Amino acid sequence: MRALTWQGRRDVRVDTVPDPGLRDPTDVIVRVTTTGICGSDLHLYEVLGPFLEAGDILGHEAMGVVEETGPEVSEIGPGDRVVIPFNMSCGTCYMCGQGLHSQCETTQVRERGMGASLFGYTKLYGQVPGGQAQYVRVPFGDRLPVKVPEGPPDERFVYLSDVLPTAWQAVEYADVPDGGSVVVLGLGPIGEMACRIARHRGAGQVIGVDLVPERLARAAEHGATTLDLREYGDDLPDAIRDLTDGRGPDAVIDAVGMEAHGAPVVEAVQRVTGMLPNALAQRLMEQAGLDRLGALRTAIDTVRRGGTISISGVYGGMADPLPLLTLFDKQIQLRMGQANVRRWVDAILPLLTDEDPLDVESFATHTMPLERGPEAYEMFQAKRDGMIKTVLKPW
């Protein structure tokens, strides 16, 4: 089959690789019809190379058609249309029973001290072949894949793999009161979808912050009040307070995470890790603080006293200092974590109807064949051509 593989920093290629096969009696093989490029895929493209090996298949946002099932699979069969959640959860362990599918005890990567395995996402999360490919092996066939109806295009459902549940959890964790206010820092795919979901769920005021004109314009089109970071700079917290009765918003969603743009020291350290032998680079990245915490510090400064910060952006550093005194003094609630995809599916599926209230069918800004995947990564990294969200078609 053809698959997009990691080869080195800023070097991904579409190669011919062996087809996946059934390993366990509960496995299924899915022919991928649509697969997305996620902002966290850029972490692999740029930063997390020490935890990858040449030839690793990337991608964790995929859907398609079941081609083959193991002998113990009874809930789905060949020809069924399914979405593949990005985290691998068994659905039967204690953590899955608590709705914490991203902490699944069956697939936890214990040798790394990490949570549930992820498709297409480094040794830290199991080094599982991903979905930016023509076929993918999916475990737990009766409990992990999400069966979706025939008819509407893939673009109606593919975001159930990651974008929709991640943004839904971000809003859930933000605990915005009815009619309350929420600020979303970062208007990439997750941040912008969080704006849409927050409005849908009854937030009275949604404020989106970014520095990319296309992202700001799109969030504004869907009802958010937008603030351009390039315009406000260090005065951003005051501008937000001016919009929220002087006290700050009820909640802030940090949808930025591990992004180094504008942080020369962080970028330099990340480049150094790319030059070190993998063993040394891994230790440096696991033990040193390598993140720019500007967005999180802005969230802490901006949120009202007694408010909530919800972190959906991925951070990687282990030693970054946090202003714990301020967090304590302001009585801030802090919630975060990988999305528990399967937990939120039942709440989201009814919204993927003909009415499409979240406007997911037109969410992608670019649709490209899998063979152009390397070009798509480069465009996404550079934020060229108004690229905000791209889906790839393997066939």
Side-chain angles (χ1 to χ4, degrees):
M1 68 173 181
R2 301 289 282 170
L4 191 144
T5 64
W6 183 89
Q7 299 296 332
R9 183 173 180 267
R10 296 196 181 186
D11 182 6
V12 296
R13 306 172 196 171
V14 178
D15 292 331
T16 300
V17 303
D19 292 344
L22 299 174
R23 295 184 187 174
D24 298 310
T26 58
D27 285 352
V28 300
I29 302 298
V30 175
R31 177 172 59 85
V32 178
T33 54
T34 299
T35 183
I37 301 178
C38 180
S40 59
D41 287 329
L42 295 184
H43 300 160
L44 312 183
Y45 189 65
E46 183 72 31
V47 179
L48 294 177
F51 298 100
L52 290 156
E53 293 180 357
D56 282 353
I57 300 173
L58 304 184
H60 58 270
E61 297 184 352
M63 70 171 293
V65 177
V66 175
E67 289 283 304
E68 186 180 1
T69 65
E72 295 183 11
V73 177
S74 59
E75 298 298 318
I76 58 175
D80 284 339
R81 192 182 189 198
V82 296
V83 176
I84 306 165
F86 77 91
N87 41 30
M88 297 171 63
S89 56
C90 70
T92 57
C93 71
Y94 173 83
M95 286 296 179
C96 288
Q98 302 300 306
L100 295 169
H101 297 80
S102 66
Q103 309 302 323
C104 174
E105 292 179 319
T106 304
T107 73
Q108 281 179 18
V109 187
R110 289 181 170 82
E111 63 270 22
R112 295 278 181 174
M114 305 298 280
S117 297
L118 309 180
F119 286 98
Y121 214 80
T122 81
K123 297 174 184 177
L124 291 173
Y125 288 101
Q127 205 169 15
V128 180
Q132 289 170 1
Q134 291 181 315
Y135 296 95
V136 62
R137 181 186 72 90
V138 182
F140 315 116
D142 281 344
R143 296 185 176 273
L144 181 58
V146 180
K147 187 175 179 179
V148 296
E150 297 295 330
D154 282 6
E155 285 72 11
R156 186 71 63 86
F157 300 112
V158 68
Y159 306 113
L160 273 174
S161 61
D162 182 353
V163 174
L164 282 166
T166 297
W168 190 275
Q169 180 171 295
V171 175
E172 179 77 17
Y173 281 8
D175 196 25
V176 186
D178 287 342
S181 56
V182 59
V183 168
V184 179
L185 301 176
L187 297 174
I190 302 300
E192 201 225 322
M193 185 58 76
C195 289
R196 299 186 192 189
I197 290 171
R199 283 179 52 81
H200 175 78
R201 294 183 59 174
Q205 185 178 31
V206 178
I207 301 169
V209 179
D210 207 289
L211 44 70
V212 179
E214 292 86 355
R215 293 180 174 185
L216 291 161
R218 201 159 88 140
E221 289 172 4
H222 285 86
T225 299
T226 56
L227 298 177
D228 190 333
L229 183 60
R230 298 170 302 171
E231 177 182 349
Y232 290 96
D234 292 340
D235 296 328
L236 177 67
D238 289 332
I240 292 172
R241 281 188 279 270
D242 288 343
L243 294 172
T244 52
D245 299 322
R247 68 175 64 91
D250 298 304
V252 177
I253 295 172
D254 174 2
V256 177
M258 185 169 55
E259 185 164 4
H261 301 298
V265 173
V266 175
E267 288 183 319
V269 173
Q270 290 173 351
R271 282 197 300 272
V272 167
T273 63
M275 301 174 188
L276 293 173
N278 276 357
L280 292 177
Q282 288 178 26
R283 286 200 294 273
L284 175 62
M285 294 189 70
E286 287 175 329
Q287 297 173 13
L290 296 179
D291 296 328
R292 179 190 184 197
L293 293 183
L296 184 53
R297 291 181 180 277
T298 296
I300 294 168
D301 184 5
T302 302
V303 71
R304 68 163 170 81
R305 291 178 177 272
T308 302
I309 295 173
S310 171
I311 302 175
S312 64
V314 177
Y315 285 95
M318 295 288 285
D320 293 301
L322 279 175
L324 292 176
L325 177 60
T326 303
L327 285 165
F328 181 85
D329 179 66
K330 293 185 71 173
Q331 202 170 330
I332 292 170
Q333 300 178 72
L334 193 61
R335 298 196 71 184
M336 67 191 82
Q338 298 276 11
N340 303 299
V341 175
R342 262 302 191 169
R343 177 174 182 175
W344 311 116
V345 164
D346 289 345
I348 298 169
L349 261 177
L351 303 179
L352 306 181
T353 60
D354 288 342
E355 290 76 24
D356 192 15
L358 298 177
D359 195 19
V360 297
E361 195 167 318
S362 61
F363 190 65
T365 56
H366 293 69
T367 300
M368 302 169 71
L370 178 67
E371 296 293 333
R372 292 181 62 193
E375 177 187 356
Y377 267 77
E378 190 278 325
M379 291 173 64
F380 194 19
Q381 172 70 16
K383 298 182 175 66
R384 285 198 291 109
D385 192 35
M387 182 178 282
I388 297 173
K389 184 62 182 179
T390 297
V391 294
L392 303 175
K393 300 289 186 176
W395 300 94

